[in-house]
Amino acid sequence: MSDTQQVQLGTGFKSGKSFIKELTIRKPLTGDLRGIKLIDFIELDIDSLAKVLPRVTTPSIEEHEVFSLDLNDLSEITKVLAGFLSEKPGNAKMESPAE
């Protein structure tokens, strides 16, 4: 899986003078999770999402805009984030200790 994914929004939202119908979401880095409880983010708590999404989206969605998203659009965004959270490293190999 790539470190970024595009999300097509069915309803979209108005941000300033622009109408946003697509977001690029970047896989969150540890620093993007500052100020939130990790368990809340893992459980995709809406308040945690509202704090993290402005840090990982292009164009950047404002915290208050997260709360006005259409439920189907929010669902698509959370699917992408859940995919990032469940991603397993592809190149890491477990070495078993020599017997």
Side-chain angles (χ1 to χ4, degrees), residues 63-86:
E63 186 172 340
H64 71 276
E65 293 169 335
V66 174
F67 295 115
S68 65
L69 284 172
D70 179 83
L71 188 55
N72 291 327
D73 288 345
L74 181 62
S75 177
E76 291 303 311
I77 291 168
T78 57
K79 286 178 192 176
V80 170
L81 288 172
F84 287 141
L85 293 172
S86 64

Side-chain angles (χ1 to χ4, degrees), residues 13-63:
F13 64 96
K14 188 167 173 68
S15 179
K17 294 182 180 184
S18 301
F19 192 78
I20 309 300
K21 290 286 283 179
E22 178 180 278
L23 289 173
T24 300
I25 302 175
R26 176 180 51 78
K27 181 177 180 177
L29 301 172
T30 305
D32 296 321
L33 305 177
R34 286 183 321 268
I36 65 160
K37 292 181 182 175
L38 185 56
I39 191 69
D40 290 342
F41 182 70
I42 290 171
E43 292 178 347
L44 300 172
D45 170 74
I46 187 68
D47 292 319
S48 295
L49 289 173
K51 287 185 169 74
V52 173
L53 285 175
R55 302 172 187 176
V56 299
T57 55
T58 305
S60 182
I61 183 172
E62 297 292 328
E63 186 172 340

